[in-house]
mmCIF file of all heavy atoms in Angstrom:
data_model
loop_
_atom_site.group_PDB
_atom_site.id
_atom_site.type_symbol
_atom_site.label_atom_id
_atom_site.label_comp_id
_atom_site.label_asym_id
_atom_site.label_seq_id
_atom_site.Cartn_x
_atom_site.Cartn_y
_atom_site.Cartn_z
ATOM 1 N N ALA S 36 -10.401 -0.029 -23.669
ATOM 2 C CA ALA S 36 -9.102 0.645 -23.697
ATOM 3 C C ALA S 36 -8.975 1.642 -22.544
ATOM 4 O O ALA S 36 -7.931 1.722 -21.886
ATOM 5 C CB ALA S 36 -8.892 1.350 -25.035
ATOM 6 N N ILE S 37 -10.041 2.383 -22.280
ATOM 7 C CA ILE S 37 -10.024 3.345 -21.169
ATOM 8 C C ILE S 37 -9.919 2.609 -19.835
ATOM 9 O O ILE S 37 -9.172 3.016 -18.940
ATOM 10 C CB ILE S 37 -11.265 4.262 -21.209
ATOM 11 C CG1 ILE S 37 -11.173 5.196 -22.414
ATOM 12 C CG2 ILE S 37 -11.406 5.062 -19.917
ATOM 13 C CD1 ILE S 37 -12.427 6.007 -22.680
ATOM 14 N N GLY S 38 -10.647 1.505 -19.693
ATOM 15 C CA GLY S 38 -10.565 0.712 -18.459
ATOM 16 C C GLY S 38 -9.158 0.196 -18.231
ATOM 17 O O GLY S 38 -8.639 0.250 -17.103
ATOM 18 N N LYS S 39 -8.533 -0.295 -19.284
ATOM 19 C CA LYS S 39 -7.159 -0.794 -19.177
ATOM 20 C C LYS S 39 -6.206 0.339 -18.805
ATOM 21 O O LYS S 39 -5.346 0.192 -17.949
ATOM 22 C CB LYS S 39 -6.743 -1.434 -20.503
ATOM 23 C CG LYS S 39 -5.381 -2.052 -20.496
ATOM 24 C CD LYS S 39 -5.063 -2.701 -21.845
ATOM 25 C CE LYS S 39 -3.666 -3.273 -21.876
ATOM 26 N NZ LYS S 39 -3.341 -3.870 -23.176
ATOM 27 N N TYR S 40 -6.383 1.479 -19.456
ATOM 28 C CA TYR S 40 -5.539 2.644 -19.171
ATOM 29 C C TYR S 40 -5.669 3.079 -17.714
ATOM 30 O O TYR S 40 -4.673 3.336 -17.033
ATOM 31 C CB TYR S 40 -5.915 3.796 -20.107
ATOM 32 C CG TYR S 40 -5.254 5.100 -19.744
ATOM 33 C CD1 TYR S 40 -3.937 5.357 -20.118
ATOM 34 C CD2 TYR S 40 -5.931 6.075 -19.024
ATOM 35 C CE1 TYR S 40 -3.320 6.547 -19.786
ATOM 36 C CE2 TYR S 40 -5.326 7.272 -18.685
ATOM 37 C CZ TYR S 40 -4.016 7.502 -19.067
ATOM 38 O OH TYR S 40 -3.413 8.684 -18.726
ATOM 39 N N LEU S 41 -6.900 3.146 -17.227
ATOM 40 C CA LEU S 41 -7.133 3.561 -15.843
ATOM 41 C C LEU S 41 -6.532 2.564 -14.843
ATOM 42 O O LEU S 41 -5.966 2.963 -13.828
ATOM 43 C CB LEU S 41 -8.630 3.753 -15.588
ATOM 44 C CG LEU S 41 -9.274 4.939 -16.293
ATOM 45 C CD1 LEU S 41 -10.788 4.936 -16.061
ATOM 46 C CD2 LEU S 41 -8.654 6.246 -15.840
ATOM 47 N N ALA S 42 -6.657 1.273 -15.138
ATOM 48 C CA ALA S 42 -6.084 0.250 -14.255
ATOM 49 C C ALA S 42 -4.563 0.376 -14.210
ATOM 50 O O ALA S 42 -3.955 0.294 -13.133
ATOM 51 C CB ALA S 42 -6.488 -1.145 -14.730
ATOM 52 N N GLN S 43 -3.943 0.602 -15.369
ATOM 53 C CA GLN S 43 -2.487 0.757 -15.406
ATOM 54 C C GLN S 43 -2.058 2.018 -14.671
ATOM 55 O O GLN S 43 -1.067 2.014 -13.951
ATOM 56 C CB GLN S 43 -1.997 0.802 -16.854
ATOM 57 C CG GLN S 43 -2.081 -0.524 -17.565
ATOM 58 C CD GLN S 43 -1.781 -0.411 -19.045
ATOM 59 O OE1 GLN S 43 -1.806 0.665 -19.628
ATOM 60 N NE2 GLN S 43 -1.502 -1.554 -19.677
ATOM 61 N N LYS S 44 -2.804 3.078 -14.830
ATOM 62 C CA LYS S 44 -2.481 4.335 -14.149
ATOM 63 C C LYS S 44 -2.603 4.176 -12.637
ATOM 64 O O LYS S 44 -1.780 4.674 -11.870
ATOM 65 C CB LYS S 44 -3.380 5.450 -14.652
ATOM 66 C CG LYS S 44 -2.973 6.819 -14.171
ATOM 67 C CD LYS S 44 -3.543 7.885 -15.055
ATOM 68 C CE LYS S 44 -3.087 9.231 -14.591
ATOM 69 N NZ LYS S 44 -2.061 9.802 -15.436
ATOM 70 N N GLN S 45 -3.633 3.441 -12.201
ATOM 71 C CA GLN S 45 -3.811 3.216 -10.771
ATOM 72 C C GLN S 45 -2.659 2.388 -10.211
ATOM 73 O O GLN S 45 -2.137 2.685 -9.145
ATOM 74 C CB GLN S 45 -5.142 2.518 -10.496
ATOM 75 C CG GLN S 45 -5.402 2.316 -9.018
ATOM 76 C CD GLN S 45 -6.737 1.637 -8.757
ATOM 77 O OE1 GLN S 45 -7.322 1.042 -9.658
ATOM 78 N NE2 GLN S 45 -7.213 1.719 -7.545
ATOM 79 N N GLN S 46 -2.249 1.344 -10.940
ATOM 80 C CA GLN S 46 -1.129 0.522 -10.495
ATOM 81 C C GLN S 46 0.148 1.327 -10.436
ATOM 82 O O GLN S 46 0.976 1.138 -9.553
ATOM 83 C CB GLN S 46 -0.943 -0.687 -11.405
ATOM 84 C CG GLN S 46 -1.997 -1.747 -11.226
ATOM 85 C CD GLN S 46 -1.811 -2.904 -12.200
ATOM 86 O OE1 GLN S 46 -1.082 -2.797 -13.179
ATOM 87 N NE2 GLN S 46 -2.472 -4.014 -11.929
ATOM 88 N N ALA S 47 0.317 2.241 -11.370
ATOM 89 C CA ALA S 47 1.531 3.060 -11.409
ATOM 90 C C ALA S 47 1.577 4.039 -10.239
ATOM 91 O O ALA S 47 2.658 4.364 -9.751
ATOM 92 C CB ALA S 47 1.617 3.813 -12.729
ATOM 93 N N THR S 48 0.422 4.489 -9.776
ATOM 94 C CA THR S 48 0.411 5.468 -8.687
ATOM 95 C C THR S 48 0.468 4.817 -7.315
ATOM 96 O O THR S 48 0.867 5.462 -6.352
ATOM 97 C CB THR S 48 -0.831 6.373 -8.759
ATOM 98 O OG1 THR S 48 -2.004 5.567 -8.693
ATOM 99 C CG2 THR S 48 -0.842 7.203 -10.015
ATOM 100 N N GLN S 49 0.101 3.536 -7.202
ATOM 101 C CA GLN S 49 0.117 2.885 -5.892
ATOM 102 C C GLN S 49 1.502 2.842 -5.264
ATOM 103 O O GLN S 49 1.646 3.170 -4.082
ATOM 104 C CB GLN S 49 -0.488 1.492 -5.979
ATOM 105 C CG GLN S 49 -1.997 1.509 -6.089
ATOM 106 C CD GLN S 49 -2.587 0.129 -6.273
ATOM 107 O OE1 GLN S 49 -1.895 -0.828 -6.583
ATOM 108 N NE2 GLN S 49 -3.894 0.016 -6.096
#
Side-chain angles (χ1 to χ4, degrees):
I37 291 171
K39 183 178 177 181
Y40 171 80
L41 291 175
Q43 289 172 343
K44 189 159 182 105
Q45 183 179 17
Q46 287 177 345
T48 59
Q49 285 176 345

